């Protein structure tokens, strides 16, 4: 993969919400009227950039493609960046702004607090708003990719002239073998059927319990999906050095075992 020079970008730190020690670096630029967002994996001043959230993001979007779930599209880059005057070479993702002209974004948590009726629960609010299909798809995807971090700000609503729509699914990096960071041995010993607790705003802290909310007719469609190395790792050729060698086989096994559990529910 060609190495890009992105040392002109300015980076801001976003605290990792999973309780990890590091932070995530984020930046953006506007090119020919289009806003692009850049995101780097975990960072601290001692270790520099570490982890593989960026690769997870690409694998997660491939799984979403296989399942037919609309999502924000990311591209993996290999680049030089500069933080506080120090140069780093790292992997990162870039994505385009999903807002349409005139739209404003707000977190789903904010939208719920603003528009709920009385003591209406989050799920009752979703039912009243006719949003269940979106969240069923989210529950299915998050189960298969073992997403730990679907908090209230990782789901967004877009508003224009008093009209609201849910943003495409985004921010799936804290998934799969996230907590192993760069430890290949830990990847080989990871719990591939991990259930929780996870940082969900909608539903429970259990990925399995959320999956059980999904209608059987939707789950049955998973049977027709093909989770092959070619489909799961599409677009990652030439990126083998971005993660430990164990990553590829363990993540594929993890996906297949979790898909197997979905099929078991259907039976």
């Amino acid at each position: 993969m060609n190495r890009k020079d992105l040392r002109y970008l300015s980076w801001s730190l976003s605290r990792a919400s999973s309780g990890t020690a590091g932070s995530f670096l984020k930046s953006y630029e506007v090119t020919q009227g289009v806003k692009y967002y850049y995101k780097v994996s975990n960072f601290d001043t001692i270790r520099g950039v570490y982890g593989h959230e960026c690769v997870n993001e690409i694998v997660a979007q491939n799984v979403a493609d296989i399942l037919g779930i609309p999502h924000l599209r990311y591209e993996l880059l290999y680049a030089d960046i500069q933080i506080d005057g120090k140069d780093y070479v790292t992997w990162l993702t870039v994505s385009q702004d999903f807002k349409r002209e005139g739209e404003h974004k707000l977190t789903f948590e904010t939208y719920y607090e603003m528009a709920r009726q009385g003591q209406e629960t989050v799920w009752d609010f979703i039912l009243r708003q006719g949003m269940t299909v979106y969240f069923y798809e989210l529950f299915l995807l998050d189960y298969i990719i073992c997403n730990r971090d679907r908090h209230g700000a990782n789901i967004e609503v877009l508003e224009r002239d008093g009209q609201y729509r849910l943003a495409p699914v985004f921010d799936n990096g804290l998934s799969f073998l996230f907590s192993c960071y760069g430890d290949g041995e830990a990847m080989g010993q990871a719990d591939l059927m991990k259930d929780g607790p996870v940082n969900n705003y909608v539903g429970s802290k259990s990925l399995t319990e959320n999956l059980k909310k999904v209608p059987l007719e939707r789950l049955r469609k998973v049977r027709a999906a093909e989770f092959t190395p070619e489909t799961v790792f599409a677009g990652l050729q030439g990126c083998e050095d971005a993660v430990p060698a164990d990553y590829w086989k363990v993540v594929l096994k993890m996906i297949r075992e979790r898909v197997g559990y979905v099929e078991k529910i259907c039976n």
Side-chain angles (χ1 to χ4, degrees), residues 67 69 108 122-123 126 131-147 150 155 169 172 195 198 200-215 218-219 222 258 262:
L67 295 171
I69 297 173
F108 182 77
V122 174
W123 191 250
I126 288 168
M131 297 175 171
T132 53
V133 171
Y134 179 93
F135 285 95
Y136 289 152
E137 299 282 46
L138 206 57
F139 290 160
L140 174 58
L141 176 64
D142 282 350
Y143 176 79
I144 293 177
I145 69 174
C146 193
N147 188 357
R150 192 67 70 190
I155 308 166
V169 176
N172 308 298
D195 179 53
V198 294
N200 286 337
Y201 181 71
V202 177
S204 73
K205 303 300 181 185
S206 163
L207 294 169
T208 304
E209 290 306 308
N210 286 351
L211 177 70
K212 290 177 181 178
K213 284 183 175 287
V214 183
R218 176 59 181 104
L219 295 182
V222 176
R258 297 177 80 87
V262 174

Side-chain angles (χ1 to χ4, degrees), residues 80-126:
D80 294 273
I81 64 172
Q82 189 174 92
I83 307 163
D84 294 333
K86 185 175 180 180
D87 289 351
Y88 298 88
V89 181
T90 188
W91 299 88
L92 65 155
T93 56
V94 60
S95 60
Q96 288 190 28
D97 188 358
F98 49 62
K99 295 193 303 296
R100 298 169 186 164
E101 185 176 357
E103 283 187 330
H104 305 277
K105 68 178 182 178
L106 60 160
T107 69
F108 182 77
E109 184 174 3
T110 299
Y111 180 56
Y112 162 71
E113 294 293 345
M114 178 183 73
R116 70 177 179 172
Q117 294 180 352
Q119 298 302 310
E120 189 173 41
T121 67
V122 174
W123 191 250
D124 285 341
F125 175 77
I126 288 168

Side-chain angles (χ1 to χ4, degrees), residues 241-258:
D241 293 340
V243 291
D246 299 85
Y247 176 91
W248 309 102
K249 63 182 179 182
V250 178
V251 164
L252 186 62
K253 183 180 179 184
M254 185 179 201
I255 292 170
R256 286 174 170 172
E257 288 190 7
R258 297 177 80 87

